[in-house]
Amino acid sequence: MAEYFGMPQVLEYLKRMGLRLAYVDEEQQIIELAFHGNHGQWRMIVGIQQSGDARKLMMIAPHIGTLSTQKRLECLEALMTVNYRIAMGKFGLDLEDGEVRLEEGIPLANDGITYEQFQLVFGAIMQTVAMYHSLIPRIVYGNASIEEALKACEQEFLEELNAPEGDDDTPTQPVSANESDAPDTLDALDTVEAPDNDSELNVGDVLAEISRILEERNE
């Protein structure tokens, strides 16, 4: 019988990827990672959600942006366009406070998911956040059209990913944990303290390493 897939396996996968963890609560089955990049700091929450006999692995990037009444329809159209383009993950909106988050849920069968499958989903979520982190500000504050904003995000991401090492001048700042950041099933994050600088990860470095590992596996 296959080993029951749970938090020990998730922790092992993240450690094999060389990632530093900002917060771990094995009882609530959640892990938090903090990242920084050219567009500031953001977090990813990895957790196991269970409802009855159904279990799924959740990867959530909360507070990617906030929608106000200003150009709301244009922003929603842009997010829906991204959802149509990407293979994994989807952007969602909290109608109460306008929070935009990116998330992916992976149903867990008896044998769970492999390390390679975990890497693929994790890398896809990271790439989407890194690419479209500035999408809403470009539309709201930069007065860009939807197509212009999408194209600018994608072009900038490619340029940053291919830039020589040492070109990222973004200062590292502590990441705060807001009480409304996590979904209802991850309420333990309400009391999480802001991780210190040492727990933050550079987006470009992590994406480059994930790409390298996957390329090696495909050779």
Side-chain angles (χ1 to χ4, degrees):
M1 182 177 178
E3 183 181 2
Y4 183 80
F5 185 90
M7 286 295 286
Q9 287 75 22
V10 176
L11 287 167
E12 178 190 349
Y13 288 173
L14 291 171
K15 289 177 181 177
R16 284 177 64 182
M17 293 170 67
L19 300 179
R20 298 186 300 275
L21 311 180
Y23 177 82
V24 178
D25 188 327
E26 295 196 48
E27 183 177 350
Q28 296 292 328
Q29 300 191 90
I30 56 173
I31 301 166
E32 181 181 1
L33 301 98
F35 300 89
H36 75 272
N38 288 345
H39 297 293
Q41 292 76 37
W42 54 277
R43 296 178 295 133
M44 186 185 295
I45 300 163
V46 181
I48 295 178
Q49 185 182 91
Q50 182 155 356
S51 178
D53 294 332
R55 300 169 67 244
K56 58 183 177 180
L57 177 67
M58 298 295 300
M59 294 188 186
I60 303 170
H63 280 285
I64 298 304
T66 302
L67 291 192
S68 62
T69 56
Q70 186 177 3
K71 297 189 177 180
R72 190 180 185 92
L73 289 178
E74 291 94 329
C75 292
L76 286 172
E77 184 178 339
L79 292 173
M80 289 183 65
T81 301
V82 175
N83 282 347
Y84 184 78
R85 292 184 180 185
I86 58 181
M88 297 181 187
K90 66 179 183 298
F91 282 103
L93 172 67
D94 187 328
L95 293 177
E96 293 186 2
D97 61 9
E99 176 203 351
V100 176
R101 66 175 58 177
L102 177 69
E103 62 181 61
E104 177 64 74
I106 309 159
L108 294 174
N110 292 333
D111 54 351
I113 65 173
T114 66
Y115 174 59
E116 289 75 15
Q117 291 170 331
F118 183 91
Q119 275 185 316
L120 181 63
V121 179
F122 191 96
I125 296 296
M126 281 201 61
Q127 178 172 301
T128 299
V129 175
M131 186 177 297
Y132 297 106
H133 195 278
S134 63
L135 179 63
I136 293 174
R138 288 180 188 276
I139 295 173
V140 175
Y141 304 112
N143 294 317
S145 68
I146 295 170
E147 189 59 37
E148 288 172 344
L150 290 167
K151 187 176 294 184
C153 286
E154 292 161 359
Q155 182 63 35
E156 184 179 79
F157 172 78
L158 293 176
E159 291 174 355
E160 291 177 357
L161 198 59
N162 295 323
E165 294 184 7
D167 283 1
D168 185 359
D169 296 328
T170 304
T172 300
Q173 299 292 337
V175 178
S176 61
N178 185 289
E179 290 189 356
S180 63
D181 284 355
D184 293 340
T185 53
L186 301 177
D187 286 340
L189 278 182
D190 289 356
T191 58
V192 175
E193 296 180 357
D196 58 29
N197 292 353
D198 290 339
S199 63
E200 289 190 352
L201 303 164
N202 181 277
V203 174
D205 292 344
V206 177
L207 284 172
E209 181 62 15
I210 291 174
S211 298
R212 183 189 65 78
I213 293 173
L214 292 177
E215 286 174 1
E216 287 182 352
R217 184 167 59 87
N218 292 328
E219 287 179 354

